[in-house]
Amino acid sequence: MTPPDERSQATPEVLATIRAELERTLLGVRRYTLREVADLAGLEPTRVRQLWQALGFTVDPDPGAVMFTDGDLGALRNLAAILGSGAIDPSAEISAARSLGQSMSRLSEWQFALLSSHVVSQLSTAYGTASAPPEEEEIREFVDDILRRVANRAESLQGYMWRRHLVATTNRTAVRVQGDAQTRPLVVGFADMVGYTQLTRRIDADELNVLLDHFEAAVSGVITRHAGWVIKTVGDEVMFAAEDAVDAARIALELQQAFAAFEDTPALRIGLASGPALARFGDLFGSVVNIAARLTGAARPGSILIDQQLAAELEDHPEFRLHVVRNLRVKDFRHSRAYVLRRGRDTEARTETPTAPPDPAA
């Protein structure tokens, strides 16, 4: 929670100065029009416009507007070299740029929030009792000092994390290429906080931030511990995947156990389905995704529903118990049965579960 004296320093003028100093220090001075930067990068202006917008940046409609920096030029030259190498199919370059831009935008939003909070905290310490607010030059000095200490390290860390995740991705089962699509057999799951919408009406922004931090930390820890990976989080819901049926079942059961241990945390409902999924720019598509989502919506709080394919893969495994749900109506799921997933009796006896999950079939 941000103390009141810090909030008093977070004026629009202070934040505007922080943004301006970040642009000056990280990007440099704007020097080039669209035509000029395109010529220097060896790309057509129309292509630069399409790529730049796909990356998430606005292109001024005025052809004479000076809006590109030397850093932008270097990025476009690197992009042109990658595209020219044939590493990315021309038909996919806009989608690839969009995926990169969306990922980096989300990361940058989080980082700017941290940076702004830190600068405001420092300003509050230095000027909280002063009769006059800090001058622009003093704010710039705070920002420059932070960037000198962390910018290069943060950029190096992000580069290494990219390499590390790239290796982790290649260590998973190789994808099967079918034409231009990449499909692979996966277990796809969704975990959803029950009653989230109503809860957000009763708690303030700070309490909501704590809840979401707990949710994201808990689910990511459990998912990665059992060889799964997070596809995306959207507010109160996380989408994840695993290659192995047993790993996916363990993820779901441990998630329920983790959230049942906290009285003030909303219950989870989880749906899992197994089948071929289309992997596209970090996301997953296909009927297996739709089935998992619909099972999640049909599950009762504290329970896990799985599809018939996954049930067959888990059948006779001693860690799990399966119970068929006979009267479940789920759209586009009429010809397949749903099953409740629970821990096996021996496993349940060894696991300290605070409360037994409700039975959606009861």
Side-chain angles (χ1 to χ4, degrees):
M1 183 179 296
T2 305
D5 58 337
E6 290 188 15
R7 287 176 180 151
S8 66
Q9 299 292 337
T11 64
E13 293 78 12
V14 168
L15 295 178
T17 302
I18 294 173
R19 284 193 291 268
E21 188 61 15
L22 280 174
E23 177 174 337
R24 186 192 69 81
T25 305
L26 296 179
L27 304 182
V29 179
R30 301 189 184 200
R31 301 180 184 277
Y32 311 107
T33 65
L34 175 62
R35 167 64 68 178
E36 290 168 342
V37 80
D39 290 342
L40 291 169
L43 295 169
E44 289 296 321
T46 300
R47 197 177 186 193
V48 170
R49 180 187 295 275
Q50 292 173 339
L51 289 168
W52 205 244
Q53 290 176 336
L55 287 167
F57 306 117
T58 301
V59 178
D60 196 311
D62 180 2
V66 176
M67 56 172 298
F68 293 93
T69 69
D70 287 327
D72 297 333
L73 174 58
L76 286 168
R77 281 174 169 166
N78 287 335
L79 185 56
I82 294 172
L83 297 176
S85 71
I88 300 177
D89 188 278
S91 64
E93 64 182 40
I94 298 299
S95 296
R98 187 181 303 115
S99 179
L100 174 63
Q102 290 173 352
S103 298
M104 297 308 297
S105 175
R106 183 178 181 184
L107 178 63
S108 299
E109 288 278 355
W110 167 75
Q111 291 174 333
F112 179 73
L114 287 181
L115 176 65
S116 298
S117 177
H118 180 67
V119 172
V120 168
S121 176
Q122 294 295 308
L123 291 173
S124 178
T125 300
Y127 297 96
T129 59
S131 58
E135 299 290 335
E136 283 192 14
E137 186 59 33
E138 293 169 315
I139 299 173
R140 292 193 186 100
E141 288 178 0
F142 273 108
V143 175
D144 290 345
D145 178 64
I146 294 171
L147 292 177
R148 280 193 298 269
R149 288 186 283 115
V150 304
N152 289 337
R153 294 174 186 264
E155 191 170 5
S156 175
L157 175 62
Q158 287 177 187
Y160 180 74
M161 287 298 99
W162 170 76
R163 295 193 295 272
R164 198 71 177 80
H165 277 290
L166 186 62
V167 172
T169 300
T170 59
N171 285 340
R172 298 173 189 147
T173 301
V175 299
R176 298 180 308 188
V177 178
Q178 298 177 355
D180 292 330
Q182 294 180 335
T183 60
R184 57 193 301 188
L186 291 173
V187 180
V188 177
F190 289 89
D192 173 66
M193 283 193 285
V194 179
Y196 173 82
T197 301
Q198 291 78 10
L199 180 63
T200 58
R201 297 170 183 161
R202 302 196 306 269
I203 62 178
D204 61 27
D206 291 322
E207 292 171 316
L208 178 60
N209 189 53
V210 171
L211 172 63
L212 293 176
D213 277 345
H214 167 70
F215 175 69
E216 292 178 4
V219 298
S220 62
V222 170
I223 290 167
T224 55
R225 184 158 54 248
H226 294 289
W229 62 97
V230 175
I231 304 299
K232 58 186 174 184
T233 56
V234 182
D236 62 328
E237 184 176 67
V238 61
M239 176 184 177
F240 62 93
E243 292 183 315
D244 184 76
V246 172
D247 287 335
R250 288 170 177 166
I251 288 170
L253 289 164
E254 191 170 326
L255 281 175
Q256 289 292 18
Q257 179 186 348
F259 276 77
F262 296 93
E263 293 183 1
D264 296 331
T265 301
L268 293 184
R269 53 187 177 190
I270 299 175
L272 299 173
S274 178
L278 168 66
R280 187 175 186 273
F281 299 110
D283 207 343
L284 296 176
F285 302 88
S287 61
V288 65
V289 177
N290 297 333
I291 291 171
R294 286 164 183 164
L295 287 173
T296 304
R300 289 188 178 181
S303 70
I304 304 163
L305 289 182
I306 67 174
D307 74 333
Q308 189 169 326
Q309 175 63 37
L310 182 57
E313 295 173 31
L314 296 174
E315 190 177 11
D316 299 327
H317 195 289
E319 285 189 38
F320 314 115
R321 286 186 294 150
L322 304 174
H323 180 83
V324 67
V325 182
R326 300 188 183 279
N327 297 316
L328 180 65
R329 291 186 177 89
V330 180
K331 184 179 179 182
D332 297 333
F333 199 72
R334 299 174 182 173
H335 303 295
S336 180
R337 289 184 172 180
Y339 292 76
V340 180
L341 172 67
R342 300 190 185 93
R343 293 188 183 277
R345 298 191 186 279
D346 292 340
T347 306
E348 195 173 55
R350 297 193 301 268
T351 304
E352 297 182 2
T353 304
T355 58
D359 183 358

